[in-house]
Amino acid sequence: MDSQRPTRASPPPDSTPPSVTFILLSFIAIAAIVLVPTASSSFKNSLSIVHQVPEGHVGVYWRGGALLKTITEPGFHMKMPFLTQFEPVQVTLQTDEVTDIPCGTKGGVMIIFGKIEVVNRLHKESVYETLLNYGVHYDKTWIYDKIHHEINQFCSSHSLQQVYIDVFDQIDEKMKDALQVDCTRYAPGIEIIGVRVTKPNIPESIRRNFEQMEEERTKVLIAIEKQKVSEKEAETVKKMAISEAEKNANVSKILMEQKLLEKDSARKQEEIENAMYLAREKSLADADFYRVIREAEANRLKLTPEFLELKFIESIANNTKIFFGDKIPNMILDQRLLGNFLVDEVSRGAAIKKTKADI
């Protein structure tokens, strides 16, 4: 009968009900939601699996406190939670502000630089070496602490007058050069772009003295500028007078040259008129001389013996007086002798005129 008794199945092994597992996961999720936002950044970075590297940064990693050589670019990346820690490091231009820097001048006066800004950049290829030697807060060593040191060095070797007024415009370059020299030597990946130093705060009594000195200096500068203005005005008046005199002299010179040109033109015109008159008179004289010569030659050609005899006969014929008697007056000569005499006289007169003309 026992063999006919049905066998009972053995109970299943103990296991956590699904509801308990769901409750446990929910509790972990709620704890993560509540605790992670309030936790430190390093804790969150070690807890997270997926992390983001922002633009202008690179991601660096530590595992068990040791810096890894892995450098990631901006974007989303994955890491092992709890074991690997992550930090973003900026590799673009950044400005570090160092505030409230006390220093003592060469004369023992304490002053405070309220703020000094240092523009710097960490080169991407030097991130690993820089962080390996100086940690994430490398700028504290080479910028914040270094600025304090260099400012105190500068103040201790200069007087208050020099620090506050005389060489204040040189502090920026001196700080930049001092920082860059040490960074180049010990941390080559750090580049110092520029340094901006604000005016230091000095004791009130000394500041009032400086203000009074500046006021007096301003008065002196104003007086000097007024003197320069007066000199410039006098120089301007002088230049205007010289310019006016030069203008009048130039006008007089032009007028004189104009009158001289007019006189010269009139002289040339008179010379031309005289030459024309002389040529005209000479032409008239030559014409008269030529006319007389031609008339003399014509008369000489006329005074032939036959012509003279004809004229003599005509003259005798025209004479109304007739003389009779034994004695005839001496003036009645032989007509041939008279004709020869007249021809010789005419020839001699023509020769004399020709000689005068040749002369």
Side-chain angles (χ1 to χ4, degrees), residues 243-259:
S243 177
E244 187 69 21
E246 290 178 351
K247 184 186 71 174
N248 294 334
N250 291 331
V251 171
S252 300
K253 182 178 179 181
I254 292 172
L255 293 176
M256 182 63 67
E257 291 177 353
Q258 182 179 0
K259 290 181 180 179

Side-chain angles (χ1 to χ4, degrees), residues 138-176:
Y138 63 90
D139 51 356
K140 183 180 185 303
T141 302
W142 293 111
I143 294 178
Y144 289 91
D145 296 344
K146 189 65 176 174
I147 280 290
H148 279 268
H149 172 73
E150 294 297 335
I151 283 293
N152 278 273
Q153 289 286 343
F154 181 81
C155 292
S156 63
S157 60
H158 294 82
S159 64
L160 180 61
Q161 172 74 21
Q162 292 173 328
V163 174
Y164 195 72
I165 295 177
D166 295 342
V167 296
F168 176 76
D169 58 335
Q170 303 175 15
I171 298 179
D172 295 349
E173 290 299 324
K174 289 182 178 296
M175 292 298 105
K176 176 181 178 297

Side-chain angles (χ1 to χ4, degrees), residues 44-304:
K44 289 190 292 183
N45 290 337
S46 63
L47 182 64
S48 62
I49 298 176
V50 178
H51 59 281
Q52 180 185 10
V53 179
E55 188 65 43
H57 296 67
V58 294
V60 294
Y61 304 89
W62 289 263
R63 183 173 299 163
L67 179 65
L68 302 179
K69 292 186 177 181
T70 302
I71 304 294
T72 57
E73 298 292 334
F76 288 102
H77 302 277
M78 298 182 65
K79 67 177 183 62
M80 296 178 63
F82 298 106
L83 296 179
T84 304
Q85 294 180 350
F86 151 76
E87 283 291 340
V89 177
Q90 186 174 355
V91 291
T92 55
L93 293 180
Q94 58 180 337
T95 301
D96 294 329
E97 293 185 358
V98 187
T99 58
D100 299 331
I101 307 170
C103 68
T105 63
K106 187 177 181 181
V109 181
M110 290 298 297
I111 61 177
I112 298 175
F113 286 87
K115 182 176 67 173
I116 297 179
E117 297 178 345
V118 181
V119 182
N120 61 94
R121 176 175 58 190
L122 177 61
H123 292 284
K124 186 185 299 185
E125 59 273 10
S126 302
V127 171
Y128 176 77
E129 293 294 334
T130 303
L131 268 63
L132 181 64
N133 294 325
Y134 308 107
V136 178
H137 303 292
Y138 63 90
D139 51 356
K140 183 180 185 303
T141 302
W142 293 111
I143 294 178
Y144 289 91
D145 296 344
K146 189 65 176 174
I147 280 290
H148 279 268
H149 172 73
E150 294 297 335
I151 283 293
N152 278 273
Q153 289 286 343
F154 181 81
C155 292
S156 63
S157 60
H158 294 82
S159 64
L160 180 61
Q161 172 74 21
Q162 292 173 328
V163 174
Y164 195 72
I165 295 177
D166 295 342
V167 296
F168 176 76
D169 58 335
Q170 303 175 15
I171 298 179
D172 295 349
E173 290 299 324
K174 289 182 178 296
M175 292 298 105
K176 176 181 178 297
D177 295 340
L179 292 176
Q180 189 62 66
V181 167
D182 286 344
C183 288
T184 302
R185 182 177 181 183
Y186 299 104
I190 303 174
E191 179 185 3
I192 306 299
I193 306 299
V195 177
R196 295 187 293 267
V197 180
T198 58
K199 204 75 170 178
N201 299 321
I202 62 177
E204 186 65 24
S205 58
I206 299 177
R207 186 181 63 81
R208 284 197 299 269
N209 292 336
F210 275 114
E211 289 178 353
Q212 291 177 0
M213 290 172 58
E214 191 65 26
E215 184 178 355
E216 294 298 326
R217 186 181 291 108
T218 303
K219 291 180 181 179
V220 173
L221 292 176
I222 291 174
I224 293 174
E225 291 299 324
K226 286 183 178 179
Q227 182 179 358
K228 289 182 179 180
V229 170
S230 300
E231 292 177 355
K232 288 293 183 181
E233 290 178 350
E235 186 178 355
T236 302
V237 172
K238 180 181 177 181
K239 288 183 178 180
M240 291 177 63
I242 294 174
S243 177
E244 187 69 21
E246 290 178 351
K247 184 186 71 174
N248 294 334
N250 291 331
V251 171
S252 300
K253 182 178 179 181
I254 292 172
L255 293 176
M256 182 63 67
E257 291 177 353
Q258 182 179 0
K259 290 181 180 179
L260 290 175
L261 290 175
E262 291 177 355
K263 293 293 184 180
D264 188 62
S265 299
R267 179 181 61 80
K268 290 181 179 180
Q269 184 177 1
E270 187 175 358
E271 289 178 355
I272 293 172
E273 291 178 353
N274 292 337
M276 292 173 61
Y277 176 77
L278 181 62
R280 184 172 59 253
E281 293 296 325
K282 185 177 180 181
S283 299
L284 293 176
D286 291 341
D288 290 340
F289 178 74
Y290 181 76
R291 180 178 56 80
V292 171
I293 292 299
R294 301 304 285 178
E295 288 179 354
E297 291 180 355
N299 291 331
R300 183 173 59 83
L301 294 175
K302 285 181 180 180
L303 296 177
T304 58

Side-chain angles (χ1 to χ4, degrees), residues 316-333:
I316 293 299
N318 292 330
N319 190 1
T320 57
K321 291 181 181 182
I322 300 173
F323 297 93
F324 299 95
D326 297 332
K327 294 183 178 181
I328 299 173
N330 294 330
M331 64 172 295
I332 300 174
L333 302 175

